[in-house]
Amino acid sequence: MPPSPTQEIHGGTGRITVSSHGLKAVFSELSAAYPLKLLSPRAFENRVAIVYLLSYGGGLVSGDQVDLRVHVTGEAKLVLLSQGSTKIFKTRPGRRLATVNGEQIKPGTPSRQVISFTVSQDGALFLLPDPVTCFRDASYHQIQTFHIARGASVAILDWVTSGRKSLGEEWVFSQYYSVNEIFLDGVRVAKDVMLLEDNAIPTASGTRRTLAQRLAPYACYAMLFLIGPQLQTTIDHLTKEYESISVMKTRAPEHLIWSLSPLVTGQGSGVVGAVVRVAGKEPESVKRWFSSALAPIAEHIGLEDVHMK
Amino acid sequence: MDADEEAYILLLLSDSNLPTGSFVASSGLESHIKHGFGNGNIMTFVQDSLGTYARSALPFVLDAHRLLYHHINSQDCDLEFLVNNLVALEELYDSMTLNHVARRASKAQGVALLTLYTKSFMPPSQSSESLERLAQFFSKYKTLVRAERAHGHLPTCWGVLTAGLGLSAERASYLHLFLHARGLLSAAVRLNKIGPYNAQQLLLHQVRPLVTGEAEHCRGMTTGTVRTAPDLVDSELFEAHRQGSANIWPLGEILAARHDLQHSRIFNS
């Protein structure tokens, strides 16, 4: 049965609850409503569960809302992936704008996604989707909140590309707004809020600086949070590599650049993890960089390669 | 505060001899140039840096200013309430400033502002009750920062310093952005990117509309109440988030964080 228009707007609610029984990961909840789809293929490593976050038509359109809650308990290791990049369309191809209660969704209404995660003491979450790609004039808002217990392990990857390069799109979406907020035992350790849109403030000559000008020459920006014992090898490895970089004056920007900052809590007393940012001229090069940087994780969760699936 | 008094405070705070340590900060400009991004017009860096700094720091300047203003002018002043709120506000700023180089520079300049108040601006004698309240607050807060029980970040300390001196929130934001832009241009002069005459020309003609525009754009912003988890997909939640602090220039973040990787450098940030 095709979904009713009301579901189309207010649907998108999903639940994932996974725990461990002996060496197995067991779902006690795995449900989703349009436009969200969840798919769980078989995993082969102990206590690992894999879920693909999908959406009908391969993306979200103006007015779509997704509300997902994820709980990881026991010693379960949950791997969340997407199949190809999440596309944000202005409107879904071949469809009229959705209506709710007879009223048409206003063009320009953002696609919205809210996901909250809890991870208990020995649990692990590997949120490693492909990047979000916003098409021309599309608008996307995402809020992700993580409540993790001390001893839990999380890897959170959040990234965005400049659009469909094949169609000449380079940072021509309307707005991208993304929040990642992480609480460790109830204490906020990170809140990253990124807002990408054209400048609102005109210069002396009356011109406005575009988003594309501000983000050039890169076409992909990524952010990675790493926290917890199961990520320590990766953190140590990346930190060592980062600290060995010595920047000499260059004439032109490099193909790919990255930074690493320790994630601290309280008055800077304790380091609890790391924050990595990467920018690359092509999404493919950033993908390759992550494949290599996250190789220890891929092995840990039984994937051949986190981004060359 | 009358116009003469305000003008005098503005002159005082915009004096480049003010011991705030800002001369060792380039806010990512040195790293930006080193990474091969400095070939174009210096104003594009000023515009991007000012834009992202305004959007991430001004909500904190404004909230800190509100807190202290309320403290001086309310009937029942509660020092503990003020301090606790300010500590929480700074915790939020610290968790939002994920780039360690920027965090370090912000704390160095913030504590310098607190010291400036206690060493220089403290009223000579107990002239009025509200001045006494201020003296009490600044001494206490500086002690907390020294004991590492408060962060002492630049935007929050600027907010309380300017409120303590009686400047309006609008003037405080405007001056904060002006000083940020002027700092970038003076760093550009020291890095031999532009000449000193050019720097003044840019400050007069090009920087002004940007400072005015950004200050205006961020006027009503606030960090909002601290929400722990989004309950439902609702527009109010998104709106509440959107009026707050945000980073709008991820490239600037990466380059600023890579400051310490430079083989040789003259600035601290």
Side-chain angles (χ1 to χ4, degrees):
Chain A
M1 195 178 76
S4 78
T6 319
Q7 275 176 316
E8 217 169 294
I9 309 307
H10 295 294
T13 304
R15 298 275 185 278
I16 303 173
T17 303
V18 62
S19 54
S20 60
H21 272 274
L23 295 179
K24 279 195 174 138
V26 182
F27 289 104
S28 54
E29 269 188 304
L30 185 64
S31 68
Y34 186 92
L36 177 68
K37 272 200 293 191
L38 300 175
L39 209 81
S40 178
R42 235 185 106 182
F44 297 97
E45 280 299 307
N46 288 340
R47 301 186 191 93
V48 170
I50 300 173
V51 174
Y52 280 88
L53 302 177
L54 308 170
S55 45
Y56 285 85
L60 298 172
V61 308
S62 173
D64 271 353
Q65 303 194 344
V66 168
D67 177 13
L68 177 64
R69 292 173 196 203
V70 180
H71 302 286
V72 183
T73 63
E75 293 173 56
K77 301 172 189 181
L78 177 64
V79 183
L80 288 178
L81 305 168
S82 66
Q83 205 169 44
S85 70
T86 299
K87 296 161 191 70
I88 310 299
F89 308 96
K90 196 178 166 200
T91 50
R92 186 161 283 150
R95 262 177 197 261
R96 286 197 328 239
L97 281 176
T99 55
V100 59
N101 300 334
E103 255 182 76
Q104 202 168 60
I105 290 287
K106 268 187 264 158
T109 305
S111 312
R112 291 168 168 172
Q113 183 151 294
V114 175
I115 314 185
S116 69
F117 301 85
T118 64
V119 186
S120 67
Q121 197 184 346
D122 299 311
L125 169 73
F126 302 90
L127 177 60
L128 303 169
D130 280 303
V132 170
T133 296
C134 297
F135 291 8
R136 185 180 293 277
D137 299 328
S139 193
Y140 180 62
H141 292 181
Q142 171 184 292
I143 296 182
Q144 299 189 132
T145 313
F146 304 84
H147 283 272
I148 65 174
R150 206 164 274 273
S153 299
V154 292
I156 301 160
L157 175 60
D158 186 22
W159 44 339
V160 59
T161 72
S162 59
R164 290 170 295 182
K165 267 219 162 146
S166 57
L167 297 180
E169 289 179 355
E170 267 187 274
W171 305 112
V172 288
F173 51 78
S174 168
Q175 188 180 67
Y176 172 85
Y177 179 74
S178 169
V179 179
N180 287 298
E181 193 169 17
I182 306 171
F183 295 86
L184 183 60
D185 275 348
V187 177
R188 187 190 297 103
V189 292
K191 182 175 181 182
D192 184 68
V193 181
M194 188 151 83
L195 174 65
L196 302 180
E197 61 186 354
D198 285 346
N199 265 27
I201 316 299
T203 61
S205 57
T207 56
R208 279 168 215 273
R209 195 155 158 79
T210 63
L211 181 63
Q213 289 171 325
R214 199 158 77 227
L215 299 183
Y218 300 116
C220 179
Y221 282 86
M223 181 147 199
L224 173 73
F225 294 91
L226 299 168
I227 301 173
Q230 294 179 39
L231 281 318
Q232 201 54 51
T233 314
T234 309
I235 295 171
D236 292 344
H237 175 77
L238 284 175
T239 306
K240 208 172 144 199
E241 193 180 327
Y242 183 67
E243 283 169 354
S244 73
I245 299 174
S246 178
V247 177
M248 304 287 186
K249 178 137 177 52
T250 57
R251 278 169 176 276
E254 284 176 69
H255 227 75
L256 179 145
I257 53 167
W258 63 290
S259 68
L260 183 145
S261 294
L263 199 56
V264 291
T265 180
Q267 302 300 322
S269 40
V271 175
V272 298
V275 189
V276 177
R277 287 184 200 266
V278 188
K281 288 189 179 175
E282 297 101 27
E284 291 70 28
S285 58
V286 179
K287 233 173 247 200
R288 275 195 299 278
W289 190 88
F290 277 117
S291 291
S292 147
L294 302 182
I297 298 181
E299 197 181 335
H300 184 71
I301 56 184
L303 289 181
E304 241 173 67
D305 186 331
V306 289
H307 279 111
M308 295 290 158
K309 298 179 286 283
Chain B
M1 174 179 276
D2 62 32
D4 282 352
E5 207 179 334
E6 185 181 59
Y8 198 83
I9 297 286
L10 289 172
L11 287 172
L12 188 69
L13 290 179
S14 49
D15 181 357
S16 60
N17 280 330
L18 210 64
T20 58
S22 63
F23 62 93
V24 294
S26 87
S27 304
L29 177 62
E30 186 175 18
S31 178
H32 190 262
I33 293 172
K34 203 67 72 63
H35 281 88
F37 285 84
N39 304 325
N41 184 345
I42 181 73
M43 279 310 294
T44 61
F45 178 83
V46 173
Q47 190 175 4
D48 292 342
S49 171
L50 192 68
T52 199
Y53 185 71
R55 192 59 212 263
S56 44
L58 281 194
F60 288 90
V61 170
L62 293 167
D63 279 358
H65 189 283
R66 278 181 198 115
L67 277 171
L68 193 70
Y69 183 85
H70 175 79
H71 180 73
I72 313 166
N73 295 295
S74 71
Q75 292 295 325
D76 49 346
C77 73
D78 181 348
L79 186 59
E80 206 166 316
F81 175 84
L82 168 66
V83 167
N84 290 345
N85 271 291
L86 203 56
V87 167
L89 190 64
E90 292 210 297
E91 283 289 343
L92 181 62
Y93 189 72
D94 201 66
S95 68
M96 293 184 77
T97 310
L98 293 169
N99 153 10
H100 61 290
V101 175
R103 202 189 295 138
R104 182 180 70 205
S106 172
K107 287 170 92 156
Q109 293 177 69
V111 73
L113 292 180
L114 295 177
T115 308
L116 181 66
Y117 191 92
T118 54
K119 286 204 173 168
S120 314
F121 298 160
M122 206 83 114
S125 64
Q126 279 82 357
S127 24
S128 79
E129 200 205 323
S130 62
L131 285 177
E132 215 170 305
R133 281 186 198 177
L134 279 173
Q136 229 181 359
F137 161 72
F138 278 101
S139 312
K140 177 165 177 128
Y141 208 72
K142 205 183 114 191
T143 314
L144 283 180
V145 174
R146 288 261 179 261
E148 298 198 342
R149 284 164 57 204
H151 289 289
H153 274 296
L154 176 60
T156 35
C157 291
W158 179 258
V160 291
L161 176 80
T162 50
L165 292 171
L167 283 187
S168 70
E170 285 74 28
R171 286 284 180 209
S173 315
Y174 189 88
L175 183 55
H176 197 50
L177 294 184
F178 169 78
L179 292 177
H180 180 85
R182 192 189 64 187
L184 294 178
L185 288 175
S186 84
V189 171
R190 288 177 61 197
L191 288 164
N192 217 10
K193 189 72 192 112
I194 52 172
Y197 289 109
N198 191 202
Q200 297 305 317
Q201 185 197 32
L202 293 174
L203 261 183
L204 179 62
H205 299 293
Q206 313 256 319
V207 168
R208 193 175 165 187
L210 298 178
V211 167
T212 311
E214 295 291 352
E216 191 64 34
H217 184 63
C218 298
R219 185 181 269 254
M221 284 185 186
T222 169
T223 62
T225 47
V226 179
R227 298 207 192 205
T228 48
D231 290 333
L232 275 170
V233 183
D234 74 59
S235 328
E236 220 177 281
L237 173 72
F238 276 102
E239 282 317 305
H241 271 278
R242 279 178 26 69
Q243 284 176 14
S245 177
N247 167 21
I248 64 166
W249 193 33
L251 176 59
E253 282 289 303
I254 297 176
L255 293 173
R258 284 171 68 93
H259 179 85
D260 290 0
L261 300 180
Q262 292 174 87
H263 182 67
S264 65
R265 51 186 187 267
I266 60 174
F267 287 94
N268 280 350
S269 70

